[in-house]
Amino acid sequence: MSDVRQQASATQTNRAPQQREHEPPPGDRWSGWVLFASMMLILLGCFQGIAGLVALFDKGYYLVGSNGLVVHVNYTTWGWVHLIVGVVALVSGFGLFTGAMWARALGVIVAGLSAILNFAFIAAFPVWALTIIAIDVLVIYGIAAHGKEVAPRA
């Protein structure tokens, strides 16, 4: 009987430590950041779309005239640029849910362009522009630092 106990204890000590049930697998620990980034990218697309529509339809809404902006273009141009960036952000945000590499690359690019665009637009609506820039930074971090965790496995 003691031989059976010795074999059982030797078998238990040679086993690799098992993962606890409540812990996610190592690759899934940071995937929440990518989900967060994709949701923020979708929200960013909606915000950019709203800014674009306001610039197109209500030019008197902003604090300064179009000649007071960093880049001197009319609000119709700004509206179309914001609207296009918003649509691309929406497409990239929904693409991130699949873990596609093109969506990750496009997400970082569109968030970077959005930050630059809103920095140039900061004189017209400062609080809005700074909020969008902060969202852009979070999106870039979430995708760039943790994007590989949600890549499709082959």
Side-chain angles (χ1 to χ4, degrees):
M1 190 65 132
S2 66
D3 290 335
V4 173
R5 286 186 186 168
Q6 287 176 350
Q7 285 178 344
S9 66
T11 305
Q12 287 177 351
T13 56
N14 290 337
R15 287 186 192 168
Q18 292 184 357
Q19 186 175 354
R20 295 181 184 142
E21 288 182 29
H22 65 278
E23 286 185 19
D28 289 342
R29 289 189 180 140
W30 296 105
S31 60
W33 267 102
V34 180
L35 178 63
F36 173 76
S38 63
M39 292 303 298
M40 286 286 100
L41 205 50
I42 292 169
L43 186 65
L44 176 77
C46 293
F47 285 168
Q48 289 286 26
I50 291 168
L53 292 174
V54 169
L56 286 173
F57 296 118
D58 190 8
K59 292 161 185 55
Y61 182 78
Y62 295 106
L63 297 176
V64 297
S66 60
N67 60 353
L69 296 173
V70 175
V71 179
H72 300 291
V73 295
N74 61 17
Y75 279 117
T76 302
T77 305
W78 274 112
W80 283 109
V81 170
H82 278 287
L83 208 51
I84 291 168
V85 169
V87 168
V88 173
L90 281 171
V91 169
S92 177
F94 284 116
L96 271 175
F97 284 122
T98 65
M101 182 63 179
W102 65 266
R104 290 171 30 207
L106 186 62
V108 170
I109 291 168
V110 77
L113 287 174
S114 172
I116 293 168
L117 175 69
N118 280 286
F119 186 74
F121 197 66
I122 204 164
F125 209 40
V127 174
W128 182 274
L130 290 173
T131 302
I132 299 299
I133 291 169
I135 292 171
D136 289 328
V137 169
L138 290 172
V139 166
I140 291 170
Y141 172 75
I143 296 171
H146 306 295
K148 67 180 180 280
E149 276 85 3
V150 294
R153 292 181 172 87

